[in-house]
Amino acid sequence: MNWNRKDEQPSVREALKPFGTTIFTEMTALSNRVGAINLSQGFPDFEGPEEVRQAAADAIMRGPNQYCPSMGIAPLREAVAEKMKRFYGVSVDADSEVTVTAGASEAIGAALLGLVEPGDEVILLEPTYDLYPPMVAMAGATPVYVPLQPPGFTLPREALQKAFTPRTKAIIINNPLNPTGKVFTEEELAFIGELCRQSHAIAIGDEVYEHLVYDGKSHTTLLQIPAFRNRAIVISSTAKTFSLTGWKVGYGVACQKLTEAVRMSHQFITFCTPSALQEAMAQAISMDDAYYQEFLERYTKKRHLLCRALEKMGFDVLWPEGTYYASIDISDLEFEDDLAFCRHLAAEVGVAAIPASFFWHQRRAGRNIVRFCFCKRDETLNRAIERLARWKSRGLVQSDAPR
Ligand SMILES: Cc1ncc(COP(=O)(O)O)c(C=O)c1O
């Protein structure tokens, strides 16, 4: 052992080298630097429910504030199990089928690290949330990309069937889908379930926007699909539903065998999630139906406010079926790509958005899509709308644009 060896500088491991800083960090930093209205990264500019924040504060003052059980405190696991029954009619055992994690992000990581072997393949439907490819790479597996078919981002059944090989270990299904807001139909999910059954593969369902499905449609969790009951890990988060993204309280729900794998890796990643926040979130999840209805109504109005305004300005708008993101098609505008558009928009117009191409591994597939989040106060949305409308009406979209 040579403790003093100085000739080799440690650097990022090979698996992570293809991935830079996330586009969310980049756009939020740019937005802060130029003083733009930040409609890029998906976090609210308002606080979550007061009673939930008060419950966390009380729990911190009352204590104990020590490590809690790795799998999560019983009241939160029970609240999650009750929620699965209340919203989806799915019976879940709180002791052996629910694991509390540091946000949905950690649950996705724990699921992959707990289940996937080096050399396995993991199917990612594109557009794909930016966390999945590096997480698959860190697990030593190979991502296999299957692009959904625009304009409706429907499931390409033949291509998906071909993507399943004897090496397929898992598929990640983000439903509702960030960034385009697609909501998978029950039939599409059942089709994927059948492919998983035939290939002995599992599904990881990222359902963090489960309570934001519009136009009278409802969310189908993977665990409602019979083929998935014993081969899916459903992951969700309290971040979006309770407007407390910074708390990072998430969870995974799966049959006992899959849960054992998630817990096995989770204990070695974070071991446990802050107990006071878990206590407060147990109360939050158990809030009555009126909370969830009001939450959806509020976002339905925000979706309408932003999408209608963008349409009135002449943009081609993709109204989301779910999530809190609206997208525009910029193919008619004279910008090199979505990144150039977003940089210009933040610096010159004062509105930050996300270039959606970062959700595809071959970025050109998404280079004409720009995503705005509408999880903001109405006054924030209105100020952004004013800036965009002024810019658009001056015709600067054409003349100002770097080519
Ligand atoms: C699709 C998707 N999955 C997971 C997350 C992260 O959830 P959490 O903050 O609970 O880790 C986000 C956050 O934007 C998301 O959009």
Side-chain angles (χ1 to χ4, degrees), residues 220-231:
T220 303
T221 179
L222 289 187
L223 293 182
Q224 281 172 297
I225 309 283
F228 279 129
R229 183 60 185 92
N230 290 318
R231 59 177 71 255

Side-chain angles (χ1 to χ4, degrees), residues 103-105 108 129 132 174 178 206 208-209 237 239-240 248 325:
S105 306
I108 296 160
Y129 183 55
Y132 310 155
N174 176 206
N178 177 5
D206 178 349
V208 301
Y209 300 101
S237 172
K240 315 289 176 179
K248 298 293 281 190
Y325 306 107

Side-chain angles (χ1 to χ4, degrees), residues 368-386:
N368 289 324
I369 304 175
V370 166
R371 188 201 85 174
F372 296 92
C373 69
F374 52 85
C375 49
K376 304 290 172 186
R377 284 173 290 156
D378 287 356
E379 68 187 71
T380 308
L381 293 174
N382 280 322
R383 276 197 301 128
I385 288 165
E386 255 170 50

Side-chain angles (χ1 to χ4, degrees), residues 15 70 81 100 114 150 195 229 320 395:
S70 176
V100 179
L195 292 180
R229 183 60 185 92

Side-chain angles (χ1 to χ4, degrees), residues 241-275:
T241 307
F242 302 103
S243 308
L244 290 162
T245 58
W247 285 19
K248 298 293 281 190
V249 179
Y251 50 89
V253 183
C255 67
Q256 186 170 348
K257 220 166 153 201
L258 291 176
T259 292
E260 277 165 14
V262 174
R263 289 181 181 179
M264 184 62 79
S265 62
H266 162 70
Q267 67 177 331
F268 297 123
I269 303 173
T270 55
F271 185 77
C272 67
T273 305
S275 53

Side-chain angles (χ1 to χ4, degrees), residues 108 112 121-134 136 142-150 152-164 168 170-193 195-196 202-207 222 228 356-362 365-366:
I108 296 160
L112 286 167
E121 291 174 356
V122 177
I123 297 175
L124 302 178
L125 300 168
E126 289 183 309
T128 200
Y129 183 55
D130 81 329
L131 177 111
Y132 310 155
V136 169
T142 306
V144 174
Y145 296 98
V146 177
L148 297 168
Q149 284 168 327
F153 298 96
T154 47
L155 199 66
R157 290 175 194 236
E158 228 181 287
L160 184 61
Q161 200 156 8
K162 283 196 191 129
F164 275 84
T168 305
I171 178 170
I172 303 185
I173 305 166
N174 176 206
N175 183 35
L177 180 72
N178 177 5
T180 62
K182 176 202 170 55
V183 171
F184 286 83
T185 65
E186 207 170 315
E187 207 204 340
E188 285 177 321
L189 297 176
F191 179 81
I192 305 174
L195 292 180
C196 285
I202 60 144
I204 298 173
D206 178 349
E207 304 185 359
L222 289 187
F228 279 129
S357 60
F358 285 85
F359 289 75
W360 276 268
H361 81 290
Q362 287 186 331

